[in-house]
Amino acid sequence: MDNTPRLFIKAGLIYAVIGAVLGITMAINPSLSHPLRFIHIHVNLLGFMTMMVSGVAYHVLPRFSARTLPWPAGMKYQFILQNAGLIGMVAVQGFGDWRGGEHQVIFIFFSVLAGVSFFIMFYNLYFVLSPAPEESPPTKITGDMKVGPVIDQFPQALAVFVDSGFQALANPTARKTFAKMVSIDKACEKHGVSPAEFLDKLNNEVFSEEPSASVPPVAPAGTVGKEIQRGESCEADTRVGSLIKTYITTKTVFEAHYGEGCFSCPGQVYETVEQTASMHNVDLNLILGEINVMIQKELQSS
Ligand code: HEM
Ligand code: HEM
C-alpha cells in the first residue's frame, strides 16, 4: 500500500478513538454538549469516516479501474488540508464558539482548507472512475516516436534495438529513464545508424505476421518479480500471472485463500506471490508450500 492511503487510514483510526472519548464524555456529562457536540461530530465524520473512506478508496479504486489517479500528488495535499482544516475548526470551537467576531473569521479560514480538501478528493476519485481514453495503437513506428514508449508497447522491438547497436537499452533502468525522452531519430543520429534502414527493420519485426519466437516478453516498466518456467518451483518473487499461465492448477490455491474476486483484479498479473500474500494477510510460507505441492502434482500427472 502507498504511504498516503496508509496515513489516511491511520489518521482516521486515531480520530475514531478521539471521537469515542468525546462521545463518552458527553454521555457522562451532558452539560459539555456545548462545545463538545460539534467537535465530536466533525472528528467522527470529517476525521474518522472521511479519512477511512479516502484511504481505502485511494488504495482500491485505481486498481479496480486499472488507471492512475488524475493527480496523485493531490492525495498528499488533501491529507494535509483536511487535517489542518479539521484541527483548526475544532480548536476554534474548543476555545468557545465558532460563531461571531474574530473566531468566525478564523473558523472560515479553516473551513475553506477542509473544503478545498474535499474538492481534491472529488477530482481524484471521480475521474479515476472514468474509463481511460482508448488510444488506437499505432500501425507504424516512425522516427519521431520516443524509444522507451515504443519498447513498452512493442516488447519485440527491444531485440532489434539491441542488435542494431543500442546495447544500453538491455538495461531496464536505461529504458525507464533516458529512453523515455529520446526519439528514435535522435538515437540513430547519436549512434550513427541510418534511421530509414533501422525503422524498416523495426517495422518488419513488429508488424510482421509471424511473431519472433526468440524474444522473451518484457513486462511493463516498473514491474517487479520474475517469470516462472515449467519445471521450476515457485518462489516469493514469482509473478502471479506467470505462475498461473505456467501451472494452471495453482489458481485454486489463490482462490482458496483470497476468494474468487482476486482474478478480476487487473493488478494480480504483475504482482508477486509475496506482494499478494502480504496484501491478503496470508502467511507467505504457507501459500508457497501449497503452490509448490500443486506444481509437483501437476508435473507428476503430465
Ligand atoms: C463511543 C462512541 C460514541 C459515543 C459514546 C457517542 C456519543 C454521542 C452523544 C452523547 C451525542 C449527543 C450529543 C448531544 O447532542 O449533546 C452524540 C451525537 C452525535 N454523534 Fe456520537 N457517539 C459515538 C460515536 C459516534 C460515531 C462513530 C459517529 C459518526 C461516525 C457519531 C456521530 C454523531 C452525530 C452525527 C451526532 C449528532 C446527532 C444529532 O445531530 O442529533 N458518533 N454522540
Ligand atoms: C468542509 C468541512 C466542513 C465544515 C466547514 C463544516 C461546518 C459545519 C458547521 C459550521 C456546522 C454548524 C454547527 C453549529 O450549528 O454549531 C456543521 C454542522 C454539522 N456538520 Fe459539518 N462541516 C464540514 C464537514 C462535515 C462532514 C464531512 C460531515 C459529515 C460527513 C458533517 C456533518 C455535520 C453535522 C451532522 C452537523 C450538525 C451538527 C448538529 O446537529 O449540531 N460536516 N458543520
Side-chain angles (χ1 to χ4, degrees), residues 27-104:
I28 295 170
N29 189 350
S31 66
L32 288 176
S33 167
H34 181 83
L36 289 193
R37 176 190 167 94
F38 174 91
I39 301 178
H40 167 75
I41 291 173
H42 290 87
V43 164
N44 270 323
L45 294 171
L46 183 56
F48 167 43
M49 298 305 282
T50 312
M51 292 206 194
M52 285 295 277
V53 170
S54 299
V56 173
Y58 278 132
H59 181 70
V60 170
L61 296 186
R63 288 171 168 74
F64 276 88
S65 45
R67 57 173 305 186
T68 49
L69 294 171
W71 185 29
M75 261 192 308
K76 200 173 59 200
Y77 296 121
Q78 181 194 332
F79 183 78
I80 295 167
L81 291 174
Q82 201 158 330
N83 278 289
L86 173 59
I87 293 168
M89 279 161 59
V90 303
V92 173
Q93 175 73 2
F95 283 115
D97 192 351
W98 63 269
R99 286 181 193 80
E102 248 174 47
H103 268 179
Q104 191 164 345

Side-chain angles (χ1 to χ4, degrees), residues 47 68-69 96 104 134 145 165 176 199 232 236 258 268 272 277 295:
T68 49
L69 294 171
Q104 191 164 345
E134 291 251 340
M145 291 181 175
K176 272 188 250 163
L199 283 167
E232 290 176 353
Y258 307 160
Q268 51 90 9
T272 64
I295 292 180

